[in-house]
């Protein structure tokens, strides 16, 4: 099982990025998938998740209205579209298998992260 996050980079405040999480070893209809982030010196934060049936999504208060999670079953890939980025969004972002309901459970399978830096 592998979850590979990519798409991070340096972006100016107000800009956009789309992160991708390519999953191998299981299909997306088997597990809920979530995105976490961890900024330097801070605890890991659950950002967003999508149910395995693709009928439920959750967003943390800090990203609600700015981030959108989606998935492409044919590509076994989950995306996180991030708009109106703020410096406080700077973190390493990870995707993971989770239980997604009113928040994210502790991660099961956790992938390697991708760094997002929001700075002018």
């Amino acid at each position: 099982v592998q979850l590979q996050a990519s798409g991070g980079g340096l972006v100016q405040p107000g800009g956009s990025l789309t992160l991708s999480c390519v999953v191998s070893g299981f299909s997306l209809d088997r597990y809920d998938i979530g995105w976490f982030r961890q900024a330097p010196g801070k605890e890991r934060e659950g950002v967003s998740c999508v149910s395995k049936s693709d009928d439920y999504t959750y967003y943390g208060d800090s990203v609600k209205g700015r981030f959108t999670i989606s998935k492409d079953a044919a590509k076994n890939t989950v995306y996180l579209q991030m708009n109106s980025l703020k410096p406080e969004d700077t973190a390493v972002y990870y995707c993971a298998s989770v239980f997604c309901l009113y928040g994210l459970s502790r991660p099961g399978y956790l992938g390697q992260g991708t760094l997002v830096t929001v700075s002018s």
Side-chain angles (χ1 to χ4, degrees), residues 36-65:
F36 295 87
R37 67 185 181 186
Q38 188 162 21
K42 294 189 176 181
E43 293 188 354
R44 186 174 59 203
E45 174 188 6
V47 174
S48 178
C49 59
V50 57
S51 65
K52 59 187 176 183
S53 56
D54 207 11
D55 60 358
Y56 176 82
T57 57
Y58 166 85
Y59 297 94
D61 288 342
S62 61
V63 305
K64 200 172 297 183

Side-chain angles (χ1 to χ4, degrees), residues 26-101:
F26 62 87
S27 62
L28 294 182
D29 61 359
R30 184 171 178 185
Y31 292 102
D32 303 343
I33 300 294
W35 286 94
F36 295 87
R37 67 185 181 186
Q38 188 162 21
K42 294 189 176 181
E43 293 188 354
R44 186 174 59 203
E45 174 188 6
V47 174
S48 178
C49 59
V50 57
S51 65
K52 59 187 176 183
S53 56
D54 207 11
D55 60 358
Y56 176 82
T57 57
Y58 166 85
Y59 297 94
D61 288 342
S62 61
V63 305
K64 200 172 297 183
R66 300 187 297 122
F67 290 11
T68 302
I69 192 169
S70 62
K71 58 183 184 180
D72 184 334
K75 296 182 179 180
N76 226 40
T77 299
V78 178
Y79 303 98
L80 186 69
Q81 172 70 42
M82 306 186 296
N83 297 327
S84 302
L85 284 162
K86 305 174 182 180
E88 51 263 44
D89 294 318
T90 295
V92 177
Y93 285 72
Y94 304 85
C95 55
S97 62
V98 297
F99 181 66
C100 180
L101 184 64

